[in-house]
Amino acid sequence: MHDAFDGSRLSVRPPTRGVFEGAHEGVIMRLGFVVNPIAGMGGRVGLKGTDDKVEEARARGAEPRSPARARRALDAIFEQLPAATLVTWGEPMGAGLAREAGFDPEVLGVPEGTETTAADTRAAVDAFLDAGVDLICFVGGDGTAADVAEALDGSDVPMLGIPGGVKVYSSVFAVSPEDAADVLASFERTERREVLDIDEDAYREGSVDPELRAVARVPVGEDLQSSKQTGSGNVEAVAEGFAEEVEAGVTYVLGPGSTVGAVKEALGFEGSPLGVDVWRDGEVLVRDASESAILDALGDRNVVVVSPIGGQGFVFGRGNPQLSPAVIRRCDLDVVASRAKLDDIGTLRVDTDDPELDADLRGWTRVRVGRFESRLMEIQ
């Protein structure tokens, strides 16, 4: 048999070529696709996650994030793999979005209740396996990834994540919804990658301790993200240099993470380590701010300060959804990082939920790496 997946095939249908190789020439694959419709809802309203917080997120005005990202992925998959057979789950977990994108999906079941749960995700994956899919795509965050990996335990079927959650620490995700289609259309092998998750209650208190939940088989492509790594290198000089150059009357929107946390300390206050704080003229205007609170606090001139996630390179789109397109468009951008982090990353990335804004942000930008020094880095 053809070694499309590390020397083994995943379904009993006899292939004539690799599953994705030659898909445009009529080789039909079966792709399982499931959406966690509530993933990411807690991000922009400052909850740093949605686990057990759906009602609170809604009370704060949160809107679903993952369905729009699922639709972007499905549009790109349909364009690149029109011969694919899409196998999915009933609304709101994929069927309607698949039809909107042009697919005629096989719908194998529906969620049990009015509010979707992790059990619904696992049930969908079990049904996909019984239906002989070659690969499972899911839309969500690390919790969804853990649910999918749990259901896949003991199977060689690979999985690929489309980032839709607040926490996206695992290395099983494509960089963006469109990149997921590129991976599906071009990969030739799979490899085992880590599924990580964190305790969201501890995360909200400022503690980050990723736990290895599973190891899953994932298609290998250039457009996969790495696992998140913690910051390294001396950031005190970066923070001191930044603090010396703050301007009167400018509103600074300070993102999460240890590097920007050092900037907050240099400005004279203890910020929320994993939240966004707004500061102007020596005063903390908002601590651990939601998107709406940030927008309310902005002034005539605003600067958003972020540091790329270690190992991944994201400056927007991972762990800081409060920094929404509406916020970013009203701010100048300052990026700060240690030299060691930049050496490890190689390039910067953005995934703001707004493809036009992503395109505007791409290009070369200066990153402060010392008290006076900066380095040119490309945002891709």
Side-chain angles (χ1 to χ4, degrees):
M1 291 187 179
H2 197 285
D3 58 347
F5 295 104
D6 289 354
S8 65
R9 277 287 296 169
L10 302 179
S11 71
V12 296
R13 294 175 290 107
T16 57
R17 306 179 65 175
V19 173
F20 292 89
E21 178 187 357
H24 296 288
E25 300 172 20
V27 177
I28 297 175
M29 71 169 207
R30 292 174 64 78
L31 175 65
F33 193 93
V34 64
V35 181
N36 177 354
I38 63 173
M41 284 185 65
R44 289 189 181 169
V45 294
L47 289 176
K48 306 179 184 68
T50 316
D51 293 354
D52 301 320
K53 295 288 183 179
V54 177
E55 291 307 317
E56 183 176 349
R58 289 192 176 120
R60 294 189 184 189
E63 296 181 357
R65 179 188 188 217
S66 57
R69 296 177 70 78
R71 176 60 193 276
R72 285 169 53 190
L74 286 164
D75 286 344
I77 293 169
F78 186 75
E79 180 179 351
Q80 296 210 45
L81 300 168
T85 296
L86 197 78
V87 181
T88 189
W89 211 241
E91 282 300 279
M93 297 183 69
L97 294 168
R99 294 188 182 101
E100 290 174 7
F103 287 100
D104 182 16
E106 294 182 12
V107 182
L108 302 186
V110 297
E112 287 192 358
T114 56
E115 193 73 76
T116 61
T117 66
D120 292 313
T121 299
R122 292 190 290 266
V125 174
D126 287 341
F128 295 165
L129 292 176
D130 290 342
V133 298
D134 299 305
L135 185 144
I136 292 174
C137 266
F138 68 93
V139 185
D142 290 319
T144 312
D147 294 332
V148 173
E150 177 182 328
L152 284 174
D153 187 35
S155 165
D156 286 331
V157 173
M159 59 187 273
L160 177 64
I162 296 161
V166 176
K167 321 175 308 298
V168 186
Y169 280 52
S170 306
S171 57
V172 300
F173 290 91
V175 169
S176 73
E178 291 78 13
D179 288 329
D182 292 338
V183 172
L184 294 177
S186 64
F187 84 94
E188 296 180 352
R189 64 185 180 89
T190 64
E191 67 182 18
R192 305 193 78 78
R193 288 192 163 217
E194 295 180 344
V195 177
L196 304 175
D197 200 7
I198 62 175
D199 184 316
E200 287 194 356
D201 289 332
Y203 184 59
R204 294 182 184 100
E205 297 299 321
S207 175
V208 180
D209 187 14
E211 174 189 357
L212 179 64
R213 293 285 301 275
V215 178
R217 191 164 290 282
V218 180
V220 177
E222 293 183 358
D223 297 314
L224 286 177
Q225 71 175 38
S226 302
S227 296
K228 182 186 184 298
Q229 298 175 10
T230 56
S232 61
N234 188 339
V235 299
E236 285 80 3
V238 174
E240 290 171 3
F242 185 94
E244 290 170 357
E245 296 180 8
V246 297
E247 300 180 47
V250 175
T251 303
Y252 291 91
V253 181
L254 301 154
S258 58
T259 305
V260 182
V263 171
K264 297 174 186 179
E265 291 183 7
L267 292 174
F269 74 97
E270 182 179 355
S272 52
L274 297 171
V276 175
D277 303 311
V278 185
W279 182 95
R280 181 172 63 234
D281 294 336
E283 179 184 358
V284 180
L285 303 180
V286 190
R287 190 178 188 279
D288 199 8
S290 65
E291 175 199 25
S292 60
I294 297 169
L295 290 170
D296 288 342
L298 294 180
D300 294 332
R301 186 181 167 210
N302 311 287
V303 176
V304 62
V305 185
V306 290
S307 186
I309 291 180
Q312 296 181 3
F314 284 96
V315 291
F316 296 121
R318 300 293 185 273
N320 57 9
Q322 309 95 313
L323 302 177
S324 67
V327 171
I328 297 166
R329 289 187 185 279
R330 291 183 57 185
C331 297
D332 295 328
L333 172 63
D334 271 7
V335 184
V336 295
S338 69
R339 291 181 178 87
K341 181 184 281 189
L342 294 187
D343 289 341
D344 177 61
I345 291 169
T347 191
L348 305 180
R349 299 182 185 276
V350 291
D351 182 19
T352 67
D353 274 345
D354 184 332
E356 290 186 5
L357 177 59
D358 290 348
D360 290 341
L361 290 168
R362 292 188 181 111
W364 293 92
T365 191
R366 289 192 176 277
V367 180
R368 180 185 288 273
V369 296
R371 190 162 190 156
F372 307 105
E373 300 85 5
S374 62
R375 181 186 296 183
L376 279 175
M377 292 287 290
E378 187 177 11
I379 298 178
Q380 295 185 347

